[in-house]
């Protein structure tokens, strides 16, 4: 698991445990007031050993080795669950025989969070491009409208000129 994915996993876990309420709250607890820099740290666009160290100290359960290297379990004293899932040890009973047995892990971790972040980033970029295209189209339409107005004025002037020429020719011919 990549470092930025581990960081995001820890941040989500900290929120789920009520240790922090948001990424902004994380910044406040770690003494990072620059929201952009905090976002870069969480998303892996910037690195800081101090950030990793402070992050691992927010809970005694966080395995700093896992956070730094990906080795071992995310939480100290847990099985190697990589930060997700609920572990049941002992008999599992219920109406569905598919789940009968021992040591069943429900809700294993997934990488959808990272994929969703990529999709959101792509959609945001597309929305920005669409806004830019709309603005360029609006500007082009304004230029076309101004050009049409100039053509209309020129047409009116041409019509007046033709009218004056016709009047002069009618007078001269008479």
């Amino acid at each position: 698991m990549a470092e930025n994915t581990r960081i995001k996993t820890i941040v989500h876990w900290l929120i789920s445990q009520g240790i922090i309420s948001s990424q902004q709250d994380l910044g406040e607890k770690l003494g990072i007031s620059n929201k952009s820099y905090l976002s870069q740290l969480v998303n892996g666009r910037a690195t800081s050993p101090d950030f990793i160290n402070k992050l691992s100290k927010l809970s005694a359960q966080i395995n700093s080795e896992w956070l730094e290297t990906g080795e071992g379990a995310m939480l100290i004293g847990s099985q190697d669950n990589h930060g997700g899932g609920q572990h049941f040890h002992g008999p599992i009973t219920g109406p569905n025989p598919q789940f009968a047995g021992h040591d069943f892990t429900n809700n294993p971790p997934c990488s959808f969070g990272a994929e969703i972040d990529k999709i959101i980033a792509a959609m945001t970029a597309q929305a920005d491009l669409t806004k830019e295209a709309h603005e360029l189209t609006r500007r082009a339409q304004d230029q076309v409208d101004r050009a049409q107005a100039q053509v209309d004025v020129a047409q009116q002037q041409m019509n007046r000129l033709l009218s004056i020429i016709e009047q002069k020719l009618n007078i001269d011919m008479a």
Side-chain angles (χ1 to χ4, degrees):
M1 182 181 295
E3 182 179 56
N4 68 319
T5 304
R6 291 191 306 271
I7 291 171
K8 286 181 184 181
T9 301
I10 286 290
V11 170
H12 290 291
W13 180 81
L14 289 167
I15 291 170
S16 74
Q17 298 299 303
I19 297 169
I20 60 171
S21 60
S22 64
Q23 188 168 307
Q24 182 176 351
D25 186 34
L26 172 67
E28 290 170 10
K29 289 193 181 205
L30 298 182
I32 300 171
S33 58
N34 185 326
K35 292 178 186 177
S36 176
Y37 180 60
L38 177 62
S39 177
Q40 290 174 1
L41 287 168
V42 170
N43 292 304
R45 290 188 296 273
T47 58
S48 166
D50 187 48
F51 171 72
I52 299 293
N53 187 35
K54 287 179 179 179
L55 186 61
S56 67
K57 290 183 180 179
L58 286 175
S59 170
Q61 290 181 279
I62 297 174
N63 181 349
S64 60
E65 181 182 348
W66 177 84
L67 187 55
E68 292 171 14
T69 66
E71 296 296 320
M74 180 180 94
L75 303 175
I76 295 173
S78 71
Q79 305 249 326
D80 190 8
N81 64 5
H82 296 291
Q86 300 169 355
H87 292 274
F88 301 96
H89 300 284
I92 296 174
T93 60
N96 189 340
Q98 173 185 359
F99 299 118
H102 296 279
D103 298 330
F104 175 75
T105 299
N106 185 25
N107 190 23
C110 65
S111 62
F112 287 135
E115 295 302 318
I116 288 172
D117 288 344
K118 288 178 187 175
I119 291 168
I120 289 172
M123 291 174 71
T124 301
Q126 184 64 43
D128 291 344
L129 288 173
T130 301
K131 286 178 188 174
E132 186 178 336
H134 282 291
E135 179 61 23
L136 290 172
T137 301
R138 186 193 60 77
R139 287 182 194 166
Q141 186 60 51
D142 288 347
Q143 289 177 347
V144 168
D145 291 345
R146 283 193 300 274
Q148 184 61 50
Q150 290 173 348
V151 167
D152 291 345
V153 168
Q155 184 67 42
Q156 290 171 356
Q157 290 174 346
M158 187 67 96
N159 288 342
R160 273 186 262 153
L161 182 60
L162 287 174
S163 176
I164 292 170
I165 291 172
E166 284 178 1
Q167 286 176 1
K168 290 284 187 187
L169 287 176
N170 285 340
I171 292 174
D172 289 340
M173 297 245 185

